[in-house]
């Protein structure tokens, strides 16, 4: 239960989260249908990477709904705990691991886009099977490392519990019994190595995938500017279109996932007394799955046309149904009038 002074704002963010979660699941299910549709074949094996991204954007909101995480800072510490159906230390570590998997998926999308742009002949080695295998291995390794880092590296100890417990009792009475987080400085002002190493591990993983994304992005831009492409105009347009969509798609996880979470984790380490409560970061994490799906569906031409024809067909059928109903009403009225005259 949240304290009375923050109850209204906390409840607002809670409703905001639930609406975004429901919208994200529905929208990404529609995206999965479009990816598996025949119109998706023009983008080749790339659609399997988009499929993995869409499945992750369904899985993440489900975990978010089950855990309903609270993410906040308190002086020299940051705290994460669950107040949903799953409220254990395992569940909040699972949540932390799930939202971190957006970065390796984005890195794979950029690697594929670089190969498709500069070395399209090598795409024969980037088949559907290899896409699935590479994504599975990368996510498996990243999941294992980050879960262990969250569960053990950010696991609470006696000193950190004594430090944040008054804050939890005041703001979240009855919640936060099994939290993860980091207390960076002890009572003597010395840095605590366990918390420092856990945060350096998080920063190293994010920096690694970010470096891949930046390298691929710069290489593609330089290639577009310096090389006179010999492929057909349709191929050029498709490659540029998919690259621009990917860049826009990258912006939302950066704004609503990476930067807020990196801030929560690193600000106390840097000695910045920035308050990120009540639950602003947790609410922001629910935005990007919905935005990612909308960007892909509206950005990819074949998906956009499929949606357009679907809604056009539905509206046409609705109009025909209303017209038939109106004609039937007229016929029934005419028949009743004739009967009364008879």
């Amino acid at each position: 239960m949240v304290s009375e002074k923050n109850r209204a704002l906390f409840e607002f963010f809670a409703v905001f989260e639930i609406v975004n979660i429901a919208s994200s699941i529905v929208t990404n299910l529609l995206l999965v249908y479009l990816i598996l549709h025949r119109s998706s074949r023009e983008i080749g094996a790339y659609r399997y990477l988009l499929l993995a991204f869409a499945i992750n954007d369904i899985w993440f909101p489900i975990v978010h709904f089950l855990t309903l995480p609270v993410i906040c800072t308190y002086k020299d510490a940051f705290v994460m705990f669950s107040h949903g159906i799953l409220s254990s230390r395992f569940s909040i570590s699972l949540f932390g691991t799930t939202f971190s998997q957006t970065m390796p998926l984005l890195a794979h999308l950029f690697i594929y886009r670089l190969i498709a742009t500069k070395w399209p002949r090598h795409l024969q080695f980037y088949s559907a099977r290899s896409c699935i295998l590479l994504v599975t291995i990368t996510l498996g390794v990243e999941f294992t490392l980050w879960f262990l880092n969250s569960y053990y590296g950010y696991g609470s100890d006696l000193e950190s519990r004594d430090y944040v417990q008054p804050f939890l009792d005041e703001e979240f009475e009855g919640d936060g019994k099994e939290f993860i987080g980091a207390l960076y400085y002890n009572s003597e002002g010395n840095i605590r190595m366990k918390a420092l190493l856990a945060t350096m591990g998080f920063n190293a993983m994010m920096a690694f995938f970010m470096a891949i994304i930046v390298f691929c992005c710069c290489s593609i831009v330089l290639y577009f500017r310096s090389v006179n492409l010999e492929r057909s105009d349709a191929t050029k347009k498709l490659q540029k279109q998919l690259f621009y969509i990917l860049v826009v798609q990258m912006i939302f996880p950066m704004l609503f996932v990476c930067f807020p979470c990196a801030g929560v984790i690193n600000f106390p380490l840097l000695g910045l007394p920035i308050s990120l409560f009540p639950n602003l970061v947790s609410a922001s994490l629910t935005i990007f799955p919905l935005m990612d799906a909308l960007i892909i569906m509206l950005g990819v031409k074949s998906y956009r046309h499929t949606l357009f024809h679907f809604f056009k067909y539905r509206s046409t059928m609705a109009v025909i149904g209303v017209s038939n109903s109106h004609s039937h009403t007229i016929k029934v009225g005419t028949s009743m009038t004739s009967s009364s005259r008879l």
Side-chain angles (χ1 to χ4, degrees), residues 138-183:
T138 304
L139 293 183
V141 172
E142 196 272 345
F143 182 93
T144 303
L145 292 176
W146 183 234
F147 181 84
L148 293 175
N149 192 48
S150 298
Y151 191 85
Y152 294 105
Y154 285 137
S156 61
D157 53 24
L158 182 60
E159 187 175 8
S160 63
R161 284 196 296 270
D162 290 341
Y163 186 83
V164 302
Q165 197 62 50
F167 165 73
L168 294 176
D169 291 339
E170 179 183 358
E171 300 292 348
F172 306 98
E173 184 179 357
D175 285 333
K177 295 180 180 179
E178 294 193 45
F179 67 88
I180 63 173
L183 172 62

Side-chain angles (χ1 to χ4, degrees), residues 111-121 123 231 235 239:
I111 292 172
Y112 185 96
R113 187 52 40 215
L114 175 61
I115 296 174
T117 302
K118 293 188 67 173
W119 308 291
R121 289 176 296 179
L123 282 180
R231 282 172 284 175
T235 304
Q239 293 297 336

Side-chain angles (χ1 to χ4, degrees), residues 2 7 36 60 71 84 93 122 173 191 201 206 224 252 306:
V2 70
R7 185 185 302 276
L36 298 177
F60 172 72
I71 307 171
S93 299
H122 297 295
E173 184 179 357
I191 195 163
M206 293 298 103
F224 280 148
F252 286 94
T306 302

Side-chain angles (χ1 to χ4, degrees), residues 327-338:
S327 300
H328 179 70
T329 303
I330 293 174
K331 290 179 180 179
V332 170
T334 304
S335 176
M336 291 179 64
T337 303
S338 301

Side-chain angles (χ1 to χ4, degrees), residues 286-327:
T286 62
I287 297 175
F288 84 93
L290 173 62
M291 299 307 300
D292 282 339
L294 292 176
I295 290 168
I296 296 173
M297 287 192 298
L298 299 178
V300 179
K301 186 177 180 180
S302 58
Y303 297 170
R304 187 170 64 247
H305 285 180
T306 302
L307 284 175
F308 173 77
H309 289 302
F310 173 77
F311 288 112
K312 183 179 179 181
Y313 171 78
R314 297 286 295 182
S315 61
T316 302
M317 293 302 294
V319 171
I320 292 174
V322 172
S323 177
N324 290 339
S325 176
H326 182 63
S327 300

Side-chain angles (χ1 to χ4, degrees), residues 5 48 57 64 94-95 101 103 108 111 142 161 238 271 276 290-291 326:
K5 65 178 181 180
Y48 295 103
D57 284 350
H64 194 117
L94 175 63
F95 167 79
Q101 295 200 300
M103 289 297 289
H108 270 294
I111 292 172
E142 196 272 345
R161 284 196 296 270
L238 179 61
L276 295 172
L290 173 62
M291 299 307 300
H326 182 63

Side-chain angles (χ1 to χ4, degrees), residues 55-76:
I55 292 174
N56 181 72
D57 284 350
I58 296 172
W59 163 244
F60 172 72
I62 292 175
V63 174
H64 194 117
F65 173 76
L66 293 175
T67 56
L68 293 179
V70 175
I71 307 171
C72 52
T73 59
Y74 174 66
K75 297 182 180 179
D76 295 333

